[in-house]
């Protein structure tokens, strides 16, 4: 839900906030008129170790999960990045084995070549193996 003026925000920022509020109101009104309203919440789980003990409270079979990772980090520090990705995938699998998971690679602009992008893809495929069946995958026919 979009609310309030941001402290220290410029007039332009507050104008954008007003547009977002209007957009949200229009969507809610349209959904309620059509009777097809879907309620959802987006949660950003703390990636720091101090929050790991709380995962069992929030990772449930009723969720859909998005694992966001830095593709440049995967290339520059593959051991640590693979461990981190594997941790999250294992945590979701343990607490919500049937819940769908989407993986989103960021910093595409920092991946310098098609070769590097293929390397990222190979690393992700290696991490996934056959252990994470709930990860949503592109159909290879659509990605060519």
């Amino acid at each position: 839900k979009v609310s309030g003026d941001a402290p220290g925000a410029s007039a332009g920022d507050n104008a954008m906030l007003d547009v977002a509020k209007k957009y949200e109101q229009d969507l809610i009104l349209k959904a309620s008129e059509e009777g097809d309203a879907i309620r959802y919440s987006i949660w950003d789980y703390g990636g720091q170790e101090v929050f790991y003990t709380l995962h069992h409270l929030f990772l449930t079979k009723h969720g859909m999960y998005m694992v966001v990772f830095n593709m440049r980090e995967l290339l520059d520090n593959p051991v640590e990045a693979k461990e981190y990705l594997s941790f999250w995938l294992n945590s979701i699998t343990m607490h919500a084995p049937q819940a769908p998971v989407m993986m989103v690679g960021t910093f595409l602009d920092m991946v310098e070549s098609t070769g590097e992008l293929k390397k990222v893809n190979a690393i992700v495929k290696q991490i996934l193996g056959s252990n994470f069946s709930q990860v949503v995958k592109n159909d290879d026919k659509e990605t060519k």
Side-chain angles (χ1 to χ4, degrees), residues 42 49 62 72 89 101 106 122 125 129 133 137 144:
I42 297 175
E49 285 185 40
H62 304 289
R72 185 77 250 163
L89 292 167
V101 178
T106 61
K125 282 184 176 184
S133 61
K137 297 176 180 79
K144 292 182 178 178

Side-chain angles (χ1 to χ4, degrees), residues 72-84 119 123 127:
R72 185 77 250 163
E73 188 72 19
L74 200 58
L75 292 167
D76 293 342
N77 300 304
V79 173
E80 294 88 2
K82 286 195 288 189
E83 286 176 5
Y84 195 70
K119 186 173 181 182
I123 293 169
I127 293 167

Side-chain angles (χ1 to χ4, degrees), residues 89-90 92-93 96-102 127-137:
L89 292 167
N90 284 320
I92 294 168
T93 299
Q98 301 303 316
V101 178
M102 291 185 295
I127 293 167
L128 295 177
S130 60
N131 301 323
F132 303 105
S133 61
Q134 74 271 33
V135 173
V136 177
K137 297 176 180 79

Side-chain angles (χ1 to χ4, degrees), residues 57-89:
L57 300 173
F58 302 104
L59 296 174
T60 71
K61 66 181 180 181
H62 304 289
M64 179 176 155
Y65 300 93
M66 183 180 302
V67 176
V68 180
F69 65 97
N70 180 333
M71 292 189 290
R72 185 77 250 163
E73 188 72 19
L74 200 58
L75 292 167
D76 293 342
N77 300 304
V79 173
E80 294 88 2
K82 286 195 288 189
E83 286 176 5
Y84 195 70
L85 273 176
S86 293
F87 168 81
W88 277 102
L89 292 167

Side-chain angles (χ1 to χ4, degrees), residues 111-120:
V111 176
E112 298 169 1
S113 68
T114 303
E116 282 191 338
L117 192 55
K118 287 180 180 182
K119 186 173 181 182
V120 167

